[in-house]
């Protein structure tokens, strides 16, 4: 049986892959940062662009846009499979855990299938209601390459 | 040849264009030769090659080139193709190099493209090697720090090519205190399965945001009020932009769209700084304005900030927003495949918050995963799919046709801000370039 942390990451993936984005948002803390850097080894998100750099407010808006009937790039929603591997506990401080993992993601939309690969870091916080995501960083292996539009969540 | 030119002329009519202009690979090949092989193409900015030996690779149409700063201070543009058996001598990217050494047999070239060391030199015919080198792109010129080059050795000079559209570059540079700009903060590279002209035909199109961007307008309306005191967000600038996309039709019709000779054009009074950019009341913008006044005086600063040139198109490969300091270069890859590089400019003497605005704007509006751009890309792909069908021949570009107003210097204004005058102007430029002896 997978442990608590694995179960939590699988839950996050499952919510994304079944398009339950609102429930997925509930896994994030109010002060959460969701970050997909543009550059390899990018150090900060304010002086350098990011593929996605959302606080909780923007993340909410992102999900709301995806639900809009005229979100041309998003409707119909892409179907995805998030495959998570190499999960390791990097650090544990008070009530925060840093988890590293790898992500292989298959995306299908408009007769086109794409494969993504990424190194992922979660910072999870233990709250009374359970584990929550305070920070997620997704370093795509091809973030600096020429990419077709991205309208999914990693 | 004459027959072909007559056929080309039939494809572009005053208020309609034949679909093959967007979908026929033969026409695309001709475009690469006659448009991208003739026009001045913007390649970048001098800050990308600040010191001797600094270089970056890019494309001119489909030609791979190296832009490099020579030790004599000039900017050179070299075709990235070894004189020996044709490998690209420089890996893609940027850096600083003393010389370019081909990975195949080690031929090396200086920053002017001159052939230096050649391994196994004795094996070649004497005298033959001295004729060889990296091909220099025949014409390179700068305007206000922007690097342009032309693959053709003849044609109008750069200033003539830009004509009245120079004003948009002036605006971009003048807004920077001390005129100091640098490219930094990462480059978005987004691709789409569609013709290169779709982007140029979209960026001045005031009739599209209400439809294409309906979803981002809707969520932006529900976003926290931008700039609310004590509740500022780093992305306020982007929320303002997305809301502005949802402006009433009357606003769009009133903003004004101009075209200038050779297919360039710009939108007029879409944003004034107080309406949108950072909010005149915002502390960052106030600090920036002070800096500008310090450098050029109150009167000049007022003049600069009153200029409202929004999206500018420099035909055939550039689109930029001087108020947000974002510039896009389009590279056609195939008739139905294009890639766009999006650069951000930092005003070196402005407060850091101004560049943070540029970055946030890039992420949320122009980025590869943004709320706004992604919907444009989806529509470009829909256009390509629709125009690949032979069932219907014509694309209608007649909005405002018959009402275009001629102004000074070859400038032409649409009768309303949502006129398709800019597409008609781009197609006229297209025909001029495509002529056999343009
Ligand atoms: S191909 Fe470049 S040295 Fe031979
Ligand atoms: Fe758009």
């Amino acid at each position: 049986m997978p442990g608590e942390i694995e179960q939590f990451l699988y839950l996050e993936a499952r919510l994304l892959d079944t398009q339950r984005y609102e429930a997925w948002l509930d896994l994030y803390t109010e002060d959460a940062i969701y970050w997909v850097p543009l550059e390899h080894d990018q150090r900060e998100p304010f002086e350098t662009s990011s593929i996605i750099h959302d606080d909780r407010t923007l993340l909410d808006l992102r999900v709301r846009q995806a639900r809009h009937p005229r979100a041309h790039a998003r409707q119909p929603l892409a179907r995805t499979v998030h495959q998570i591997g190499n999960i390791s506990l990097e650090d544990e401080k008070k009530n925060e855990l840093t988890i590293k993992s790898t992500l292989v993601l298959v995306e299908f939309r408009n007769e086109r299938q794409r494969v993504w690969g990424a190194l992922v870091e979660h910072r999870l916080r233990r709250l009374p209601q359970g584990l929550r995501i305070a920070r997620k960083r997704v370093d795509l292996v091809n973030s600096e390459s020429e990419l077709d539009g991205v309208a999914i969540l990693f | 040849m004459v027959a072909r030119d007559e056929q080309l002329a039939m494809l572009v009519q005053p208020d309609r264009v034949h679909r093959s202009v967007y979908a026929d690979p033969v026409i695309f090949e001709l475009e690469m030769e006659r448009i991208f092989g003739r026009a001045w193409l913007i390649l970048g900015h001098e800050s990308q090659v600040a010191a001797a030996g600094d270089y970056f690779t890019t494309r001119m149409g489909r030609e791979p080139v190296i832009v490099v700063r020579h030790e004599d201070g000039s900017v050179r543009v070299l075709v990235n193709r070894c004189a020996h058996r044709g490998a690209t001598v420089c890996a893609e990217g940027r850096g600083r190099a003393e010389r370019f050494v081909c990975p195949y047999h080690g031929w090396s070239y200086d920053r002017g493209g001159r052939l230096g060391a050649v391994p196994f030199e004795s094996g070649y015919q004497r005298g033959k090697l001295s004729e060889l080198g990296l091909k220099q792109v025949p014409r390179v010129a700068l305007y206000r720090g922007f690097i342009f080059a032309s693959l053709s050795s003849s044609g109008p000079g750069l200033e003539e090519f830009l004509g009245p559209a120079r004003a948009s570059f002036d605006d971009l540079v003048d807004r920077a205190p001390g005129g100091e700009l640098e490219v930094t903060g990462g480059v978005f590279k987004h691709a789409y399965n569609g013709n290169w002209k779709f982007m140029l035909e979209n960026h001045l199109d005031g009739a599209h945001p209400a439809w294409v961007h309906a979803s981002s307008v809707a969520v932006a309306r529900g976003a926290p009020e931008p700039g609310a005191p004590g509740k500022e967000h780093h992305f306020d600038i982007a929320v303002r932009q997305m809301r502005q996309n949802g402006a009433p039709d009357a606003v769009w019709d009133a903003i004004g769209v101009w075209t200038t000779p050779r297919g360039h054009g710009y939108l007029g009074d879409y944003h004034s700084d107080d309406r949108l950019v950072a909010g005149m009341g915002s502390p960052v913008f106030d600090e920036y304005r002070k800096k500008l006044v310090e450098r050029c005086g109150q009167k000049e600063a007022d003049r600069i900030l009153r200029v409202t040139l929004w999206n500018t198109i420099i035909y055939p490969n550039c689109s930029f927003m001087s108020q947000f300091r974002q510039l896009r270069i389009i590279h056609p890859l195939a008739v139905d495949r294009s890639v766009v590089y999006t650069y951000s400019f930092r005003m070196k003497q402005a407060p850091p918050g101004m560049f943070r605005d540029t970055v946030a704007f890039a992420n949320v509006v122009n980025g590869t995963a943004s709320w706004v751009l992604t919907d444009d890309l989806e529509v470009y792909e829909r256009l390509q799919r629709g125009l690949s069908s032979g069932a219907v021949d014509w694309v209608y570009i007649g909005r405002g046709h018959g009402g275009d107003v001629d102004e000074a210097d070859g400038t032409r204004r649409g009768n309303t801000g949502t006129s398709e005058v800019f597409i008609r102007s781009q197609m006229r430029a297209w025909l001029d370039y495509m002529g056999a002896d343009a």
Side-chain angles (χ1 to χ4, degrees), chain B residues 28-84:
Chain B
F28 177 80
E29 290 302 320
L30 207 59
E31 288 178 337
M32 292 306 99
E33 180 191 320
R34 295 186 171 179
I35 302 179
F36 284 79
R38 285 172 172 166
W40 286 98
L41 302 175
I42 193 165
L43 303 186
H45 184 257
E46 61 181 352
S47 60
Q48 293 168 276
V49 286
D54 285 357
Y55 73 86
F56 63 91
T57 63
T58 182
R59 305 178 177 104
M60 292 183 69
R62 288 173 306 179
E63 311 302 337
V65 297
I66 310 167
V67 181
V68 59
R69 178 77 70 171
H70 197 268
E71 47 272 18
D72 70 8
S74 64
V75 176
R76 308 290 182 94
V77 182
L78 310 169
V79 177
N80 191 2
R81 182 229 184 260
C82 184
H84 181 213

Side-chain angles (χ1 to χ4, degrees), chain B residues 202-203 208-209 212-213 372 376 380:
Chain B
N202 171 263
H203 286 185
H208 91 281
V212 172
H213 302 305
V372 181
D376 287 311
Y380 300 163

Side-chain angles (χ1 to χ4, degrees), chain A residues 49 62 65 112 146-148, chain B residues 185 191 337 341 369 371 375 381:
Chain A
S49 276
R62 196 175 284 277
Q65 183 184 20
R112 203 182 326 170
E146 296 171 352
L147 296 174
D148 286 32
Chain B
R337 182 80 178 159
Y341 284 29
W371 279 257
D375 282 330
E381 302 203 348

Side-chain angles (χ1 to χ4, degrees), chain B residues 82-89 102-109 119 124:
Chain B
C82 184
H84 181 213
R85 276 163 48 195
T88 57
V89 295
C102 181
Y104 199 175
H105 311 94
W107 289 25
S108 78
Y109 303 89
Y124 297 96

Side-chain angles (χ1 to χ4, degrees), chain A residues 38-39 44-55 57-59 61-62 64-65 68 70-75 109-110 112 144-151, chain B residues 59 185-191 193 210-212 214-216 218-219 222-224 234-235 337 339 341 355-356 359 362-363 368-371 374-375 377-378 381:
Chain A
L38 176 61
E39 297 196 332
E44 58 76 46
F46 294 107
E47 309 275 333
T48 298
S49 276
S50 301
I51 292 178
I52 301 177
H53 174 237
D54 285 359
D55 65 3
T57 304
L58 284 181
L59 211 49
L61 296 179
R62 196 175 284 277
R64 272 197 276 156
Q65 183 184 20
H68 194 280
R70 277 197 274 141
H72 312 287
R74 292 164 177 81
Q75 291 287 345
R109 185 173 182 272
N110 276 354
R112 203 182 326 170
E144 294 183 31
S145 78
E146 296 171 352
L147 296 174
D148 286 32
V150 176
Chain B
R59 305 178 177 104
V187 184
F188 281 116
K189 303 166 188 170
H190 65 259
N193 290 328
W211 295 93
V212 172
S215 63
S216 54
V219 298
H234 71 274
F235 49 82
R337 182 80 178 159
V339 59
Y341 284 29
F355 187 60
R356 291 180 165 222
V359 168
N363 293 352
T368 310
S370 64
W371 279 257
T374 42
D375 282 330
L377 297 183
E378 179 75 17
E381 302 203 348

